[in-house]
Amino acid sequence: DLTRFLLWFEDMNGTLDAREWLPRDTNAFLTSLEERGLAPATINRMLATLRRWTRWAMENGNVYFPTNPTTGIKERVVEEPTAKKLSSREVGRLFKAADKLVITCNRSNARPRRDRAVLAVAYYTGLRVIEICSLTMDQYDGSHLNAVIRKGWRRTSHIYVPKKCRDPLDEYLKYERGEEKYQTGDEKKSSPPIFLSATGKKLTRSTVWRIIQRIAREASAHLDEPMVIHPHQLRHTFGYEVRARTGSDTETAALLGHSGLKHVGRYVRATDEEREKVLDEL
């Protein structure tokens, strides 16, 4: 975000002299982002980056500004986000498709059991994609994932792995993980990742995205419209289901790995169809 602003600032002003950065520049930069069609939430994130950086620079005396160039800049209005959870029918289709791929996929470099295990861990634990990619073999004890590093470098001591998740995970570890070799410079210093790519490297976000898309395509094989699924929707679905069953924002936040209740609402929001049904039944 900061680099993007600096490139824009230099193009507009012909200099990177901090003394030339005024609130008018910040507002003009945000306006240029709006004109490019960026979402208000993205623009507000960039503004937050600029605010944090200028505050840090002024407090540490690294950069001199004639005035704080982010003072008085208003955030853009953000529309209420829509629900991102999946329906129970969609979840069922995904897992059926993952089962089918285990049976039918016979490519030499295919990892259908791994793909099904990734889907199961994402849905039944609510972990973020980056958290799933970072899981290591020594963290799984057969029933829990231990010492899991969460977003913001917080650590969850243990996460329960339900049986419906353990079964595909254990099957993957038994039939596919044993054949895969982890490629690293020094295997002695750290435990290898649970989920590996076909080349023996740790999974990346893009790889997980392709895994979910592959399963979604199989799930849509006989549908008029293909399922368009993003891996993070599995986390939203997990949060919604936990909140519906526990009735507790605190428990939901804890299982999602949040330190507070600020963001729970985005995970438990109802769909437009569910809201309309409630209103029709009043």
Side-chain angles (χ1 to χ4, degrees):
D1 292 343
L2 182 59
T3 299
R4 186 168 187 170
F5 169 74
L6 293 175
L7 290 172
W8 175 89
F9 185 88
E10 185 175 29
D11 180 64
M12 288 292 294
N13 296 282
T15 180
L16 284 176
D17 189 341
R19 292 170 295 184
E20 296 294 326
W21 184 4
L22 301 177
R24 181 181 297 274
D25 295 295
T26 307
N27 203 46
F29 171 65
L30 300 184
T31 299
S32 73
L33 298 177
E34 287 181 311
E35 293 172 349
R36 292 189 178 189
L38 271 69
T42 301
I43 295 173
N44 290 341
R45 187 201 70 224
M46 292 188 173
L47 175 58
T49 299
L50 296 180
R51 283 173 173 166
R52 286 194 300 270
W53 187 80
T54 53
R55 184 169 61 248
W56 170 83
M58 295 176 73
E59 289 176 352
N60 289 274
N62 296 320
V63 180
Y64 171 75
F65 300 106
T67 183
N68 189 325
T70 62
T71 298
I73 307 299
K74 295 183 179 181
E75 294 184 350
R76 272 40 183 177
V77 177
V78 179
E79 293 184 5
E80 181 181 344
T82 58
K84 297 179 181 180
K85 69 183 183 67
L86 303 173
S87 68
S88 58
R89 176 177 292 187
E90 289 174 319
V91 172
R93 284 173 175 165
L94 288 173
F95 277 99
K96 180 179 179 180
D99 289 341
K100 186 177 181 181
L101 287 171
V102 170
I103 298 171
T104 61
C105 190
N106 53 15
R107 299 193 319 272
S108 60
N109 64 340
R111 298 292 184 272
R113 289 181 176 83
R114 177 206 62 189
D115 296 353
R116 183 175 59 181
V118 168
L119 174 68
V121 170
Y123 176 71
Y124 286 107
T125 69
L127 288 174
R128 300 174 179 87
V129 171
I130 191 62
E131 294 167 351
I132 293 173
C133 294
S134 299
L135 292 174
T136 58
M137 293 291 288
D138 62 352
Q139 289 178 286
Y140 180 53
D141 63 11
S143 60
H144 293 82
L145 293 167
N146 300 299
V148 178
I149 302 298
R150 312 301 287 266
K151 184 179 180 181
W153 291 103
R154 286 178 291 104
R155 184 189 298 268
T156 299
S157 60
H158 61 274
I159 296 173
Y160 179 64
V161 182
K163 188 178 187 305
K164 290 183 179 179
C165 182
R166 292 199 303 269
D167 288 346
L169 179 56
D170 291 342
E171 186 174 332
Y172 155 65
L173 293 175
K174 179 179 179 180
Y175 291 102
E176 288 181 4
R177 186 61 176 79
E179 301 174 2
E180 297 172 325
K181 302 300 181 183
Y182 179 44
Q183 296 183 0
T184 181
D186 190 348
E187 297 183 18
K188 297 181 180 179
K189 286 189 176 181
S190 61
S191 178
I194 290 179
F195 298 110
L196 297 179
S197 67
T199 59
K201 296 181 179 180
K202 184 175 77 170
L203 289 190
T204 63
R205 287 184 178 183
S206 59
T207 304
V208 173
W209 185 87
R210 287 194 294 271
I211 287 171
I212 300 303
Q213 298 312 304
R214 184 158 51 244
I215 296 174
R217 285 195 299 271
E218 178 63 31
S220 307
H222 302 292
L223 300 179
D224 293 333
E225 294 186 8
M227 294 176 65
V228 180
I229 307 296
H230 189 282
H232 203 65
Q233 287 179 275
L234 297 165
R235 175 172 166 83
H236 278 261
T237 307
F238 170 84
Y240 180 87
E241 297 294 345
V242 168
R243 179 62 176 79
R245 285 164 171 74
T246 64
S248 170
D249 288 345
T250 303
E251 285 299 313
T252 304
L255 289 171
L256 286 169
H258 289 307
S259 58
L261 303 180
K262 179 180 179 181
H263 300 296
V264 171
R266 70 179 62 174
Y267 292 94
V268 301
R269 194 178 305 279
T271 63
D272 290 339
E273 290 78 8
E274 290 169 332
R275 289 174 177 172
E276 291 167 5
K277 182 179 178 181
V278 170
L279 295 176
D280 285 337
E281 293 175 351
L282 287 178

